[in-house]
Amino acid sequence: MMHPNAVMLVLLGKLVLPFVSAQNAGFVKSPMSETKLTGDTFELYCDVVGNPTPEIQWWYAEINRADSFKQLWDGARKRRVSINTAYGTNGVSVLGITRLTLEDSGTYECRASNDPRRNDLRQNPAITWIRAQATISVLQKPKINASDQVILSADSSSKPVILQCNLTTAHTPHEESFWMKNGQEIPNTRTDHRLTIYRITKPRADDSGEYMCVYTFSMAPNANATIEVKAKPDIIGHKRSENKNEGEDAMMYCKSVGYPHPTWTWRKVDGTSYTDIDNSTGRFFITSRDNYTELNIINLDLKTDPGVYQCNASNVIGNTAETTILRVRSNLAPLWPFLGVLAEILILVVIIVVYEKRKKPDDFIDDDEPVGPMKTNSTNNHKDKNIRQRNTK
């Protein structure tokens, strides 16, 4: 009957002999076997539980020499080995090795123990430590001849760009190949040929990026080669203007295409001079990531903030810039239409009053005078005179 504290580990079909744990120490996560290529990097994880928290160590043995384990230390193998361990409720440790060589192949072992006698040389480590193993196989990286980097320019926009890779040597025959751009597979590029070609018919700035040809193998990791297609940044989106009221917040942005990803800067332009903007003022905040940048201004000031703001994108190929006009209105701006109408009414009233006061007195009609024409006394006298003359005759 197995001891209640015994731990049995099964790793990738391998049965590792059981070891008696010390005070309930046990594995939560064990390292897993992997196959890698020269020049690659691998990481092994080990997570243990126990009370008190177990101590963790890493050991290594060459292939077919399982009896010759040697302890690994952080910084070993010309600083290619890194060991990061943290202790809390659990003990967690990560073993990493970079720039792999064929000599890095072997068996890697995570050991854990919280037995007080674990470092006593008179004790059998098989009793005081629990162990979990993983086998790392390092294969020679296949050789791929790939195109040189390509730089897109204005005069090459109509010329097709051809990228190609040729698998010249490999440890085993490959299955197929395909192309990727910026980490995403390009559709309809899979083939079983050793020589693979990708054509960009009408290259533009948004065709730039990191291209990769990938070869797959049945019993080994994928092999790949990278080709950089570079282009000057081209800003394809930005705000032409931003209209806000004083005290509000404003947001301006720029979006670009081009590779490598640009370095972004913001400026406030004043004629032929400019002022660089950064995050030190407490009201201006710049956020940039890859092909996108954003400028936020909080609590807008009516006097100092209005103007022309410029975003500038720059990489090793060239630079480009675009501007945004920021207008800041007074808080009284909503009253301006009403005040305008009121002003017009006041002006009209003043004109009427002035006009009335400047009229001549003769222009006024006396209410006591008759309105229609009247016969004068001279006319009546004339008629009487004519009558007397006829009578005399």
Side-chain angles (χ1 to χ4, degrees), residues 55-75:
E55 176 188 356
I56 300 176
Q57 295 179 355
W58 287 96
W59 292 69
Y60 164 79
E62 297 179 7
I63 294 179
N64 300 324
R65 296 190 62 182
D67 57 340
S68 59
F69 276 94
K70 298 178 182 178
Q71 188 171 357
L72 281 173
W73 303 95
D74 186 49

Side-chain angles (χ1 to χ4, degrees), residues 41 155 182 188 208 215 230:
T41 297
D155 57 1
N182 297 332
N188 304 319
S208 62
Y215 292 87
K230 299 180 179 180

Side-chain angles (χ1 to χ4, degrees), residues 254-267:
C254 288
K255 183 180 180 181
S256 72
V257 293
Y259 183 84
H261 298 311
T263 299
W264 291 100
T265 56
W266 283 89
R267 299 170 175 174

Side-chain angles (χ1 to χ4, degrees), residues 360-382:
K360 295 180 180 180
D362 295 343
D363 294 337
F364 293 95
I365 300 175
D366 190 349
D367 292 340
D368 295 335
E369 294 182 359
V371 177
M374 297 181 61
K375 294 181 180 180
T376 62
N377 290 335
S378 60
T379 304
N380 293 334
N381 292 337
H382 181 68

Side-chain angles (χ1 to χ4, degrees), residues 7-220:
V7 176
M8 180 171 291
L9 303 175
V10 179
L11 299 177
L12 295 182
K14 280 190 174 182
L15 179 64
V16 180
L17 293 177
F19 298 99
V20 178
S21 66
Q23 300 180 7
N24 298 323
F27 288 103
V28 176
K29 186 173 183 179
S30 304
M32 302 296 292
S33 298
E34 296 183 69
T35 300
K36 293 290 186 177
L37 301 177
T38 54
D40 289 348
T41 297
F42 79 78
E43 287 185 339
L44 299 179
Y45 295 84
C46 192
D47 187 352
V48 295
V49 65
N51 186 19
T53 304
E55 176 188 356
I56 300 176
Q57 295 179 355
W58 287 96
W59 292 69
Y60 164 79
E62 297 179 7
I63 294 179
N64 300 324
R65 296 190 62 182
D67 57 340
S68 59
F69 276 94
K70 298 178 182 178
Q71 188 171 357
L72 281 173
W73 303 95
D74 186 49
R77 301 183 186 176
K78 298 182 179 180
R79 299 188 179 277
R80 293 188 300 113
V81 175
S82 63
I83 299 176
N84 296 295
T85 305
Y87 294 104
T89 304
N90 290 14
V92 180
S93 185
V94 181
L95 167 67
I97 301 182
T98 61
R99 306 188 305 278
L100 289 174
T101 65
L102 296 177
E103 289 73 23
D104 291 320
S105 297
T107 302
Y108 291 81
E109 186 174 83
C110 174
R111 296 184 181 182
S113 176
N114 55 7
D115 190 319
R117 305 167 299 163
R118 61 185 178 274
N119 293 319
D120 187 344
L121 299 179
R122 294 171 298 179
Q123 301 296 323
N124 183 357
I127 298 176
T128 56
W129 293 82
I130 60 172
R131 310 179 185 190
Q133 296 179 348
T135 300
I136 301 297
S137 300
V138 181
L139 303 177
Q140 184 64 47
K141 186 174 183 178
K143 184 177 180 181
I144 302 172
N145 291 335
S147 304
D148 295 331
Q149 70 172 15
V150 178
I151 298 178
L152 304 180
S153 58
D155 57 1
S156 67
S157 59
S158 60
K159 299 179 181 178
V161 171
I162 298 176
L163 309 178
Q164 66 178 23
C165 290
N166 186 20
L167 178 64
T168 57
T169 59
H171 38 75
T172 57
H174 77 288
E175 291 186 326
E176 59 181 357
S177 65
F178 60 92
W179 286 88
M180 302 180 70
K181 179 188 176 185
N182 297 332
Q184 300 293 324
E185 182 178 347
I186 302 175
N188 304 319
T189 60
R190 288 189 175 261
T191 177
D192 57 0
H193 298 153
R194 298 172 69 93
L195 174 63
T196 179
I197 296 175
Y198 182 71
R199 181 187 297 268
I200 306 174
T201 306
K202 296 181 179 180
R204 300 175 301 179
D206 59 349
D207 290 315
S208 62
E210 186 179 82
Y211 288 80
M212 182 183 295
C213 58
V214 182
Y215 292 87
T216 64
F217 300 86
S218 59
M219 300 297 292

